[in-house]
Amino acid sequence: MLRAPFLYLSRRRGLQRFVTRQKLTARLAYRFVAGDRLEDAVRVVKEVNARGLTASLDHLGENVTEERAAHAATEDYLAAFERIATERLDANVSVKLTQLGLDISPDLCRALLERILARARQLDNFVRIDMEGSAYTQRTLDLVFALHEKYPNCGVVLQSYLFRTLEDVQRVNALGVRVRLVKGAYDEPPSIAYPKKSDVDACYEKAMRELVLHGVYPAIATHDDRLIEATRAFAREHGISGDRFEFQLLFGIRRDLQERLRKDGYRVRIYVPYGTEWYPYLMRRLAERPANLLFFVRSVLRERRAA
Ligand SMILES: Cc1cc2nc3c(=O)[nH]c(=O)nc-3n(C[C@H](O)[C@H](O)[C@H](O)COP(=O)(O)OP(=O)(O)OC[C@H]3O[C@@H](n4cnc5c(N)ncnc54)[C@H](O)[C@@H]3O)c2cc1C
C-alpha cells in the first residue's frame, strides 16, 4: 500500500535537499549506501571481496539536467575504473543513462557512455546499464544494442513487471547481450506493467528460464527466496553449472542470503551504491519494503530511551 507514496516522493526533487540534510534520514540511507565518496565504496568492495563475493559500483545520480553534471558523472566512473584496477578489486560498474545526460541530449549521453565503455574495455572490465522508468526502456535498449557489437563489455537490465519483457528477452538472447533480470523498481501504469506481484513473479520465472537456458552469463537479481530457489532448481534440472550465471543482491539487504548462496558455491555480486545523491535510491528501497522505515524508527527510539 505504501509503495506508491514512496515512489511519488522519489520523484519530488524539491524534497531531496531537505531530506538529505536531515541527520536521521542520512543515517537510514547509509544502511543501503556505502558512503558519500568513492573511498567509502572501495572500503565496502574490499570487505565484499574478502567474503568471496564480487561487486558492482553505482555512483548515485540520475536525471541530470546540466551537461556539467553528466560530464562530472563520467569522470567519476572513469576514476572508479582506475581504482578498481589499481586496488585489484573484483568489481564492475553500473551506470544510469539519465546520469549521463539522456534527458539533455541523446548524442551527449552516447558520447559519454562510449568514453566509459572504451576505458572499461581497455581495463578488461564491464559496464552494466541500469534500467530506469519505462520512458527510457526503448531508448536504453536501442543504445545498448547499437553499441554492443563495438563494446561487448556492456550489458543491460530487464524488468519483469513490464509486459514487453519476455519479447525483450528473446531479442537480447539473439544478440548475445548480457542481462541482469530484476522485478522493477519504478511506478508504472497498468497499461504496460503487471500490477499484481504474482504476475510479476510469474514473468520473472519465465524470463529467468529463457536467460539461464539461452542467455549469456545472466544475472539473477532478486532477494526473493522462492525465485532464487526456482533458479537453482532449474539450473540443476538442465545441467547448467553455477559458473554460467550469477546472483545479484543489493548492499545492505539480506546478508544471510548473500552468505548462504556463497556457501552453496554460487557466484554472488553485491550492488554497492555510493555518493551524496541517495534520495531517490532510498525512496525506492523504502517503497519495496516500507517496514524498513518502521524498523529504523523503532531502533532510534530504543537508542534514545537507553541514552
Ligand atoms: C543487484 C540489483 C540491481 C537492481 N537494478 C535495478 C535496475 O537497474 N532497475 C530497476 O528497476 N530495479 C533494479 N533493482 C531493484 C528491483 O527491481 C527490485 O525493486 C528489488 O530487487 C526488490 O525486489 P525483489 O526481487 O528483491 O523481490 P521482492 O518481492 O520485492 O522482495 C523479496 C524479499 O526480499 C527482501 N527485500 C526486498 N527489497 C527489500 C528492501 N528494500 N529492504 C529490505 N528487504 C528487502 C524482503 O525480504 C522481501 O520479502 C535491482 C535489484 C538488485 C538486487
Side-chain angles (χ1 to χ4, degrees), residues 3 32 96 129-133 157 159 161 180-186 197 201 204 220-225 227 248-250 252-254 257 269-271 284-289 292:
R3 184 170 188 269
F32 302 102
K96 286 184 176 52
I129 314 299
D130 281 347
M131 190 56 86
E132 303 178 66
V157 178
Q159 300 154 321
Y161 61 15
R180 173 201 295 150
L181 180 64
V182 301
K183 291 191 187 179
Y186 297 81
K197 178 175 159 48
D201 290 357
Y204 194 103
I220 306 303
T222 180
H223 313 93
D224 188 325
D225 288 309
L227 288 170
Q248 294 191 355
L249 297 103
L250 298 176
I253 299 179
R254 297 287 319 262
L257 185 56
R269 188 176 300 276
I270 307 301
Y271 186 96
R284 288 197 291 272
R285 300 296 76 83
L286 295 178
E288 283 153 9
R289 196 161 175 265
N292 283 332

